[in-house]
Amino acid sequence: MSDLSTPATSAIAGFAAVIPAGGAGTRLWPLSRAQSPKFLHDLTGTGRTLVQATYDRLAPLAGEGVLLVTGAAHEQAVRDQLPALGPEDLLAEPSPRDSMAAIGLAAAVLIRRDPDIVIGSFAADHVITELDAFGDAVTEAVAAARAGYVTTIGITPASPATGFGYIRAADLPVDGTRTARQVADFVEKPDLETAVQYVASGEYYWNAGMFVVKADVLLGHLRAQLPALHDGLVEIAAAIEKGDAEEAFTEIWPHLTKIAIDHAIAEPVAATGGVAVVPGTFGWDDVGDWHSLGQL
């Protein structure tokens, strides 16, 4: 197993990494709290917090840089922990609107910098090992994204866990890739009996919340599924570019639909064959509770 602090080093041209850093990690209370969420803590004993470790593994892969989205309450702490992050590469949400708003805003900002850009969203509070394998999976996911897919990186289930969503892979390979396959459907957190069947079938992956997609493809799906949310995010991105972010956030952000990207995009687009999955062969843990942390 690779050391947690040893990142993969192959930069991917035309690819930008997005880090949504939100949530309070309440299952790790009192260590993780609303004002001091788990991504700001060093939980692995490496001397780097979870958000620092996330940045460390993504920055070498992201040929077009890293963009981080966090709550306004955590903006200064994130800037203190990530001094290499440029001022224009941190977006501060005035209030939580779930993952679709955060990732969609990042896409709307980044597409103004490069109309052909591929973005990859990776949570700030996960632990990943075997970073060469992680880099390979991201590279493969970018290839699938360039073929027009909303691409996920699926984790082979270690157990019939009921705390994760599941991704069922179809027997349809994605052209131009080695391992990516189309997704048949996304399944919400199942009961134990169903989870046992999923794991035994070998057709399912855990949904780890990693999404890689061309920014224009993501925004096109968002326009089709939730046009008001799309239009609001595009308007805020334009205001950010003009230096009028504060007013746009105040007027538009509180009224945006609060929804996860899984429900807004992944589930409906998978039903039409537009989602792909790349198997992730690296170590992964979402450090979701004290038991998970104890294992680490």
Side-chain angles (χ1 to χ4, degrees):
M1 182 175 292
S2 301
D3 188 284
L4 279 166
S5 62
T6 306
T9 55
S10 300
I12 305 169
F15 169 66
V18 175
I19 304 175
T26 54
R27 286 181 294 166
L28 279 172
W29 188 91
L31 172 64
S32 181
R33 305 179 304 281
Q35 294 303 312
S36 184
K38 66 177 179 176
F39 63 81
L40 294 175
H41 295 274
D42 173 14
L43 301 185
T44 59
T46 64
R48 300 287 281 172
T49 65
L50 294 184
V51 71
Q52 287 174 321
T54 302
Y55 180 88
D56 291 346
R57 65 176 166 265
L58 289 171
L61 297 172
E64 306 307 318
V66 177
L67 181 68
L68 191 144
V69 187
T70 194
H74 307 129
E75 179 181 6
Q76 191 56 54
V78 170
R79 290 196 184 279
D80 291 344
Q81 291 196 7
L82 296 174
L85 198 66
E88 72 284 0
D89 292 325
L90 194 154
L91 303 176
E93 307 171 318
S95 61
R97 304 307 296 165
D98 219 320
S99 60
M100 187 67 258
I103 299 167
L105 178 60
V109 167
L110 289 168
I111 201 170
R112 301 180 78 87
R113 302 179 189 178
D114 178 358
D116 295 320
I117 201 162
V118 175
I119 67 169
S121 174
F122 303 89
D125 55 3
H126 293 178
V127 172
I128 289 175
T129 58
E130 299 163 272
L131 296 186
D132 286 339
F134 173 73
D136 290 343
V138 173
T139 301
E140 186 84 337
V142 170
R146 287 184 174 138
Y149 289 89
V150 177
T151 308
T152 65
I153 299 177
I155 304 299
T156 300
S159 65
T162 58
F164 300 120
Y166 284 72
I167 301 167
R168 182 166 68 88
D171 292 326
L172 295 170
V174 174
D175 290 343
T177 70
R178 294 177 292 105
T179 62
R181 290 192 290 164
Q182 288 187 20
V183 168
D185 53 32
F186 277 73
V187 183
E188 271 304 292
K189 299 171 183 177
D191 59 32
L192 181 59
E193 182 180 356
T194 304
V196 169
Q197 295 172 356
Y198 287 171
V199 174
S201 74
E203 297 178 351
Y204 290 82
Y205 298 93
W206 281 340
N207 176 16
M210 304 179 197
F211 293 94
V212 181
V213 58
K214 288 188 69 179
D216 65 337
V217 170
L218 180 69
L219 293 172
H221 287 310
L222 186 58
R223 185 190 303 113
Q225 300 294 331
L226 295 164
L229 177 55
H230 167 274
D231 293 350
L233 293 173
V234 169
E235 189 173 347
I236 292 173
I240 289 171
E241 187 175 57
K242 295 176 183 177
D244 299 328
E246 184 174 352
E247 182 178 353
F249 272 123
T250 300
E251 294 183 358
I252 300 170
W253 189 263
H255 306 291
L256 297 179
T257 302
K258 189 174 184 179
I259 188 171
I261 189 173
D262 312 67
H263 302 310
I265 298 293
E267 291 172 0
V269 175
T272 62
V275 179
V277 60
V278 171
T281 60
F282 47 86
W284 173 84
D285 198 299
D286 72 341
V287 203
D289 53 29
W290 285 104
H291 174 71
S292 176
L293 180 58
Q295 290 181 316
L296 286 171

